[in-house]
Amino acid sequence: MCPVCMAETGDTACPACGWVLTAGPWLGGITPQRRQQFDDELTFACRQLDLRAAARVAAVVGGERAALLELVRGARASEAELDPGRRQVGTAESDITALEPLLGWLIAAPARTRTLTVIDIDSRGVEVYVLAADDRGVVRPIGAPRTVAWSDLVSGLSASPTEALFQLAGGVGVLGRGCRIDRARVDRELPSSASMGQVHVLHRLPGWPIPEALAAGYPEVHRVGGARDSARLVRRAAPYTPLRHGYRLLTVEVDRSGRTEVRHVPLFPAGTRAVDGRKVTVDVAVPSGCGELLVAITEDHAGGRHLDAVCVFRWIVPEVETTALEFELDGPGDVRVDGLGSLTIDAVAGVELATAVQAIPATHRPSDAVDVALAVELCGSAEEVERRTRSLADWLAELADRHRHRRGVRVAILGYHDHLGQHRRGVVRVHEFGSITATAAAVAELAPSQVRGSGHLAPLEDVLELAATLTWRQPAAARRLVIVGRRAPYGDDTPCPNRVRWQESLARLRDNGIEVLAVWDTPPGFNPVSRRGRSTATVWRELSLPGESRELGKVTPGWLVDRLRVPAASNNGVALVFPMVAVSTEQEINK
């Protein structure tokens, strides 16, 4: 037995502490001086071993320092001798860093088909718990953690907590005895790698001989720092756990005919981790007449149910037509959503999500839907164009005032410029349907351009052609097109460079239920009895509803809004309960 550490060994030198047990042969007799030298060296070795053990324990339980000093062999140790440098703990990583690579391994297989047994060693004993990933890919413990006391694993351990820690740290001291791992007890109390598959050890007492001997029996050992707290460790693992399947937002797409279709907007692909800090912003449209919506986040995986709800929020919708929602991943099954209005988790809606999706009407006909497109000629002097755009702004203000409580009113703008010679080119700038407020801002940005082509012809026929391609809602929405311009469209005498005939384009609009109202900005010095004057006036009358064509100077905002014949809102129809896909509002049309 080694007199320094009390380890049982038959070697010439102690494998635990290095003390030389057998040496020689000696030359000559053992003199008192040689015996004293040996005794001094032995005393020094014993004291250094005890001081290292005391320093290790003091780093863990600082309040027991006085009792530890009393245990050191030799003269009573001083505080200064509990130098942290004596601990010899080596380099330790964080426990979450140790487990991080294993999280991906756990979620890479179907739910609960892989388990990870964690053996967590610290001064209080050994805690054993088993982790697995559930259906959502969330890593959770299976059952309650089990704690095994050191006294159940080690023989020769003192009943005093301070003395027991001193022994575990490698000290012998005035106790005069060491302790050792009892392998039979270990095999009975702790799982082995052979019986449990993936077993990993979190070793929080690196450098402590007895815990080191226990950890040596396992192939996967991580020397970690920090206090043991399995519940906190599992919570901390969530941001580091990759998604087993991608996450997506459930929205509804409504086409021009009003037909609805569920559309899933990707948010986070499989493998995304919350710790990476990725945020996703999605632009959505708010269905008219809706005060509440469901923001549903579902899993995207092949072979699964059509709808696997991750989480569903009930959204108290602000009074807007379009807005943005920001999504941030906090871990598997945990998504944070920020946006205008109020968002709260609705567990019941999550359970009943499939029912809510089945209740989506095949056709969405908003009860207060009105689509108004305003087409304006932008060629002419700054004063002329400013007069037209100011009229548009006044009309929008009147429309907003009369229908301030209707969120289904949408307005689009088509601003048209001149052809350049006979070359085919884009002449129309389109601002797609949006709110009255957004459209008013777009009107303010319209800029005039010079008349470059005919002084009496403008590409109005291109406007009529492109107006049919707007995202009109059909068939329930009231649809109106208002044209404000000075010159007549290209016709049979002077063909359009883009080969568009205004009569055919106008007929298509009317066939589709789009009513056209023409407002004529008559030029200065206009002669109504001249051949050209009569022809131009005739065309502007044909462009408009029967008897509704009027000169710009005679149009008041009230008259125009009356002529739009916006139907009264009703409460009929089934409201959508999910956000709709937002549509881009501005584009350049090139023929």
Side-chain angles (χ1 to χ4, degrees):
M1 178 180 291
C2 174
V4 177
C5 66
M6 300 301 169
E8 296 182 0
T9 179
D11 296 337
T12 57
C14 178
C17 67
W19 179 255
V20 178
L21 299 172
T22 302
W26 297 96
L27 295 177
I30 300 177
T31 64
Q33 293 82 4
R34 185 176 292 276
R35 182 177 295 279
Q36 185 62 48
Q37 179 184 359
F38 175 82
D39 290 343
D40 291 344
E41 291 175 354
L42 177 59
T43 299
F44 180 78
C46 291
R47 186 175 182 81
Q48 293 302 307
L49 180 131
D50 289 348
L51 284 172
R52 284 195 295 271
R56 292 175 187 134
V57 178
V60 177
V61 284
E64 306 293 333
R65 297 174 73 90
L68 290 170
L69 294 174
E70 296 289 344
L71 294 175
V72 176
R73 284 173 283 185
R76 186 182 187 281
S78 66
E79 286 280 347
E81 289 181 287
L82 293 184
D83 182 358
R86 298 179 183 274
R87 282 183 260 157
Q88 299 178 347
V89 296
T91 302
E93 60 182 336
S94 70
D95 47 12
I96 190 63
T97 301
L99 290 186
E100 183 180 349
L102 301 169
L103 301 174
W105 175 80
L106 279 175
I107 64 100
R112 289 174 286 275
T113 57
R114 290 179 176 176
T115 59
L116 171 65
T117 300
V118 179
I119 299 176
D120 202 332
I121 299 173
D122 79 345
S123 60
R124 295 168 293 171
V126 180
E127 187 177 49
V128 181
Y129 50 94
V130 181
L131 302 178
D134 64 10
D135 294 334
R136 193 64 63 222
V138 180
V139 175
R140 304 182 186 276
I142 299 178
R146 183 171 61 91
T147 301
V148 182
W150 281 112
S151 58
D152 294 330
L153 303 172
V154 178
S155 61
L157 201 61
S158 172
S160 164
T162 302
E163 293 176 0
L165 289 176
F166 182 71
Q167 289 177 293
L168 291 172
V172 174
V174 296
L175 303 175
R177 69 179 187 275
C179 61
R180 63 180 179 82
I181 292 290
D182 189 324
R183 287 295 168 189
R185 295 185 188 180
V186 171
D187 292 342
R188 184 175 63 250
E189 298 290 344
L190 299 181
S192 67
S193 58
S195 62
M196 295 296 293
Q198 279 273 25
V199 177
H200 283 250
V201 175
L202 298 180
H203 182 9
R204 301 180 188 274
L205 301 173
W208 291 41
I210 299 303
E212 287 283 3
L214 175 63
Y218 296 90
E220 300 293 343
V221 178
H222 308 274
R223 287 167 172 78
V224 300
R228 186 187 77 201
D229 187 340
S230 58
R232 179 173 177 269
L233 179 58
V234 170
R235 291 194 301 270
R236 290 175 59 213
Y240 293 88
T241 305
L243 295 183
R244 177 185 285 141
H245 305 291
Y247 285 1
R248 56 193 185 174
L249 172 67
L250 193 157
T251 65
V252 177
E253 186 171 25
V254 183
D255 66 14
R256 296 184 183 184
S257 66
R259 289 191 298 269
T260 63
E261 182 178 357
V262 172
R263 178 177 169 186
H264 298 284
V265 179
L267 296 175
F268 306 104
T272 302
R273 303 182 310 164
V275 73
D276 298 328
R278 177 178 179 181
K279 296 182 180 181
V280 177
T281 300
V282 178
D283 293 324
V284 297
V286 177
S288 60
C290 292
E292 291 186 3
L293 292 176
L294 297 179
V295 178
I297 301 163
T298 64
E299 277 192 337
D300 180 11
H301 56 92
R305 298 188 303 275
H306 176 62
L307 291 173
D308 284 338
V310 175
C311 50
V312 177
F313 294 81
R314 186 164 294 277
W315 183 19
I316 307 301
V317 184
E319 291 190 3
V320 295
E321 291 189 352
T322 60
T323 185
L325 293 173
E326 183 180 78
F327 299 84
E328 184 173 4
L329 184 67
D330 284 341
D334 190 3
V335 179
R336 192 185 318 163
V337 184
D338 291 320
L340 297 176
S342 172
L343 288 141
T344 55
I345 283 286
D346 191 331
V348 175
V351 174
E352 300 175 350
L353 180 60
T355 302
V357 172
Q358 291 173 358
I360 296 174
T363 302
H364 177 57
R365 294 181 173 88
S367 59
D368 62 350
V370 181
D371 286 345
V372 178
L374 302 174
V376 57
E377 182 181 348
L378 298 177
C379 292
S381 67
E383 292 77 11
E384 291 173 340
V385 175
E386 195 273 336
R387 181 173 63 251
R388 297 169 200 152
T389 57
R390 185 175 64 248
S391 297
L392 264 60
D394 292 342
W395 300 343
L396 289 173
E398 178 73 15
L399 187 64
D401 184 63
R402 291 204 197 178
H403 304 287
R404 64 172 64 92
H405 299 300
R406 296 176 67 165
R407 286 193 286 182
V409 178
R410 305 190 311 165
V411 185
I413 294 292
L414 299 94
Y416 60 99
H417 304 274
D418 258 338
H419 288 301
L420 290 179
Q422 293 299 305
H423 299 291
R424 294 169 61 86
R425 62 181 295 273
V427 294
V428 183
R429 178 74 176 181
V430 176
H431 184 90
E432 261 287 5
F433 285 110
S435 67
I436 297 176
T437 302
T439 305
V443 169
E445 298 295 325
L446 295 175
S449 61
Q450 295 180 359
V451 176
R452 298 181 180 276
S454 169
H456 61 280
L457 296 177
L460 224 173
E461 69 284 350
D462 291 80
V463 173
L464 297 174
E465 182 75 9
L466 290 174
T469 68
L470 294 174
T471 56
W472 301 94
R473 289 173 291 185
Q474 299 179 9
R479 289 159 289 164
R480 310 287 186 260
L481 171 63
V482 180
I483 303 171
V484 185
R486 191 189 74 190
R487 295 171 295 169
Y490 284 73
D492 296 332
D493 294 339
T494 307
C496 169
N498 289 330
R499 298 183 177 88
V500 177
R501 297 189 73 250
W502 68 268
Q503 296 91 339
E504 295 176 358
S505 300
L506 180 64
R508 277 194 293 271
L509 289 172
R510 290 173 174 169
D511 289 343
N512 287 327
I514 300 171
E515 297 183 358
V516 181
L517 180 64
V519 176
W520 184 22
D521 184 13
T522 53
F526 171 70
N527 184 359
V529 298
S530 67
R531 180 176 178 276
R532 179 170 294 169
R534 292 195 306 272
S535 173
T536 303
T538 300
V539 169
W540 278 97
R541 283 194 297 271
E542 291 179 2
L543 285 169
S544 193
L545 293 168
E548 298 290 3
S549 178
R550 181 167 289 198
E551 297 178 11
L552 180 61
K554 299 177 182 179
V555 172
T556 64
W559 179 90
L560 185 126
V561 173
D562 286 341
R563 294 310 181 274
L564 291 178
R565 292 194 288 274
V566 176
S570 68
N571 294 320
N572 299 327
V574 180
L576 294 179
V577 297
F578 299 101
M580 297 194 306
V581 178
V583 179
S584 175
T585 60
E586 190 167 344
Q587 55 182 314
E588 185 78 45
I589 304 294
N590 290 309
K591 295 291 286 184

